[in-house]
Amino acid sequence: MTNNMRKFMPPELKSKDGYTVQDIIVLNFLRDFPTQVKNPMRKITGGSHEYEISVNFISYEEVLSKLLAKDLIRVSNPDEMMEHLTNTELREVLKKLSQKSSGAKSALIERIKNVSYDKEILKFDNKKFFVVTEKGMDILKKYRNVVWIHKHKKYIFVLLIDFESSPHLKFDEYYFMNHLNENPSKTIIDYYESRDSGIVARTYMVNNDSKNAFYYGLRELGNNFDEYINSFKTSYSYNFQNFLNHLTIYDECLINLCRSLNLQKDNLEKIIDYIYEFSIKNKSLVSKNDFRRIIILFFEDKKNNYETLKEVYDTVFEKIRINFPQPKDSEIMNIVPTITDSEKEKEVEIESCVEFFNFYLESYDYDFFTQVVDRLSEDSIEMLEEIFNQHISNL
């Protein structure tokens, strides 16, 4: 009872000295987007910083106060404010100054500058904005790696909106905050070269290196092709459209890259043959010729080549189906969990659920899965939920 009455008083939070990732993010978007002093959530040109602030867990007012105190930002002067006034507002100023109010924006601004105007300009409170100082620009230059990864990480790592600040990301702003001398694109490419060709391809794209972006994008396409063959061996799911969808994750980018490189036909075929040797592990199931035909048809125009592409696909996957026949329904149903009561039987059921769920993940047979879910006990459903969550976290 006494413990429940104790007042909760944890130790005071003490941050490290120096700048934080949040400081750099805010300083960077204040540089890129003139932001109202009166309402710091709003940009002068329209729009809000709310999303940026929420996904990066920024204590915005606290960061602004820190940047002002350290002279990294200041409030705009009348000359700077004028650039963001509308023509209507500029004409209003000129009328109050008893000046001619016709002409283009540049002429209006020049006319205002020829007279004493500060007082009239400063009346537009909503046009006062934060300006990054020279000192602030030096800080952004020092932490340019943090700025770079913040700008490109969503594209490079194909992050979902909800996971933009994922703690599972190896190379993020926090990593480069502590590795200021590393070249971020080189670091990412070196690490993922043997792990994820898609990430490497997109990093090269960010660096405008079309040649290497194409090489690694095509390698990723080959890897996806091989993965699909592997999944087909156990899923028995014969769906040409799913196959196309599986391959077309990066297709538009690859097709555009291929066109921009203006490759000779024999050169493209030679590169595709190399990708076949490098990426396709199940060479007994798909020949080099079939792989080449599929990729070239895919690049040329998959819509107009749909029937031809499907014909080659049918040939390839018919061979797989012969080598890996689908089990009979009775064999499949043997792994479907059943409702039991005793603790021992529940244990068996849970093991059975694991086997069933693993089969489901391989087969992607959603209809079959939903048909048997109602047969599960609460313990089994909880176990399946745990396995499912674990599977998602490993993606």
Side-chain angles (χ1 to χ4, degrees):
M1 186 68 178
T2 306
N3 287 340
N4 291 338
M5 298 300 292
R6 287 175 60 192
K7 190 174 182 180
F8 182 67
M9 296 182 66
E12 182 184 355
L13 295 174
K14 294 183 178 180
S15 300
K16 297 176 183 177
D17 293 333
Y19 298 109
T20 67
V21 166
Q22 286 73 18
D23 296 337
I24 304 306
I25 290 173
V26 172
L27 190 61
N28 184 57
F29 71 59
L30 291 180
R31 177 190 63 179
D32 292 344
F33 304 102
T35 298
Q36 292 183 22
V37 173
K38 185 178 181 180
N39 182 2
M41 280 289 188
R42 305 296 301 175
K43 304 172 189 176
I44 289 288
T45 53
S48 169
H49 293 304
E50 287 181 12
Y51 170 76
E52 186 83 7
I53 289 165
S54 65
V55 298
N56 290 289
F57 308 104
I58 296 172
S59 300
Y60 193 37
E61 291 183 7
E62 186 179 320
V63 172
L64 283 177
S65 297
K66 179 179 178 180
L67 299 181
L68 282 165
K70 289 184 174 291
D71 297 322
L72 303 186
I73 58 173
R74 61 173 174 80
V75 177
S76 57
N77 59 44
D79 277 357
E80 293 163 334
M81 288 171 62
M82 269 198 293
E83 297 297 329
H84 294 283
L85 264 62
T86 64
N87 284 4
T88 300
E89 290 167 334
L90 290 170
R91 290 189 180 100
E92 181 183 329
V93 171
L94 284 165
K95 287 176 182 178
K96 288 181 178 179
L97 295 171
S98 301
Q99 299 293 314
K100 182 181 176 183
S101 60
S102 60
K105 185 171 184 174
S106 57
L108 299 177
I109 291 174
E110 190 62 33
R111 205 171 297 141
I112 291 172
K113 287 182 177 180
N114 289 331
V115 294
S116 179
Y117 58 86
D118 286 11
K119 184 178 177 181
E120 292 298 329
I121 298 296
L122 290 172
K123 288 179 181 178
F124 294 94
D125 275 356
N126 64 328
K127 294 302 170 76
K128 290 179 182 176
F129 61 94
F130 292 109
V131 176
V132 176
T133 63
E134 187 174 340
K135 184 180 177 182
M137 296 298 283
D138 288 341
I139 292 297
L140 286 176
K141 185 177 180 180
K142 178 180 178 180
Y143 292 99
R144 58 187 176 276
N145 289 353
V146 178
V147 174
W148 186 92
I149 194 64
H150 183 71
K151 179 180 179 182
H152 299 298
K153 69 176 182 180
K154 194 169 181 179
Y155 171 72
I156 290 174
F157 299 107
V158 196
L159 297 177
L160 298 174
I161 291 176
D162 292 341
F163 297 103
E164 188 166 340
S165 299
S166 171
H168 305 296
L169 197 61
K170 183 172 181 64
F171 300 112
D172 59 6
E173 295 89 340
Y174 296 92
Y175 175 87
F176 287 110
M177 195 78 180
N178 296 308
H179 297 82
L180 296 179
N181 295 323
E182 286 190 20
N183 179 323
S185 57
K186 185 179 185 305
T187 297
I188 293 169
I189 288 168
D190 288 349
Y191 181 81
Y192 285 103
E193 203 282 335
S194 60
R195 292 177 171 88
D196 192 316
S197 300
I199 289 175
V200 175
R202 290 186 293 278
T203 305
Y204 277 123
M205 278 296 293
V206 166
N207 290 339
N208 297 313
D209 186 341
S210 299
K211 184 180 75 171
N212 280 311
F214 180 71
Y215 281 145
Y216 282 91
L218 194 55
R219 175 175 158 183
E220 180 72 358
L221 189 66
N223 292 340
N224 285 341
F225 191 102
D226 194 64
E227 285 174 11
Y228 192 83
I229 292 174
N230 271 322
S231 67
F232 186 87
K233 291 192 300 187
T234 52
S235 70
Y236 322 107
S237 177
Y238 187 73
N239 188 313
F240 178 61
Q241 191 56 51
N242 282 350
F243 168 72
L244 281 184
N245 293 341
H246 195 82
L247 289 188
T248 56
I249 301 173
Y250 310 112
D251 69 324
E252 292 303 326
C253 180
L254 267 179
I255 291 168
N256 289 333
L257 276 173
C258 190
R259 288 172 177 169
S260 67
L261 292 168
N262 196 27
L263 299 174
Q264 298 173 7
K265 185 179 179 181
D266 60 340
N267 180 235
L268 177 59
E269 290 178 353
K270 187 176 180 180
I271 294 168
I272 293 172
D273 287 352
Y274 177 83
I275 297 298
Y276 172 85
E277 296 295 339
F278 192 94
S279 298
I280 304 301
K281 300 177 182 66
N282 297 282
K283 293 182 173 63
S284 62
L285 300 177
V286 56
S287 69
K288 184 185 293 186
N289 185 56
D290 286 340
F291 177 77
R292 188 194 310 124
R293 285 184 68 198
I294 287 175
I295 301 302
I296 288 177
L297 287 168
F298 185 76
F299 274 155
E300 286 178 348
D301 188 346
K302 63 178 181 291
K303 290 182 180 178
N304 291 333
N305 291 326
Y306 188 89
E307 291 303 323
T308 308
L309 195 55
K310 188 175 186 306
E311 183 182 327
V312 181
Y313 167 89
D314 289 343
T315 302
V316 170
F317 287 94
E318 180 61 29
K319 184 187 298 183
I320 299 172
R321 188 159 49 187
I322 291 170
N323 283 280
F324 297 90
Q326 181 173 358
K328 297 175 182 178
D329 289 345
S330 59
E331 293 175 324
I332 295 175
M333 291 308 293
N334 283 336
I335 65 171
V336 177
T338 55
I339 299 174
T340 57
D341 294 319
S342 71
E343 289 302 315
K344 180 65 177 172
E345 287 176 325
K346 281 182 180 179
E347 207 174 291
V348 172
E349 179 188 5
I350 288 171
E351 290 177 3
S352 177
C353 280
V354 174
E355 189 179 354
F356 165 71
F357 190 70
N358 286 335
F359 172 83
Y360 159 67
L361 289 176
E362 292 291 337
S363 67
Y364 301 100
D365 193 343
Y366 304 110
D367 291 336
F368 177 69
F369 181 72
T370 55
Q371 287 171 16
V372 300
V373 165
D374 290 337
R375 300 175 59 185
L376 304 178
S377 66
E378 287 187 15
D379 286 341
S380 297
I381 290 174
E382 287 177 7
M383 177 57 72
L384 280 177
E385 184 179 8
E386 185 178 329
I387 297 167
F388 182 78
N389 289 336
Q390 183 61 41
H391 176 74
I392 293 300
S393 68
N394 290 334
L395 290 178

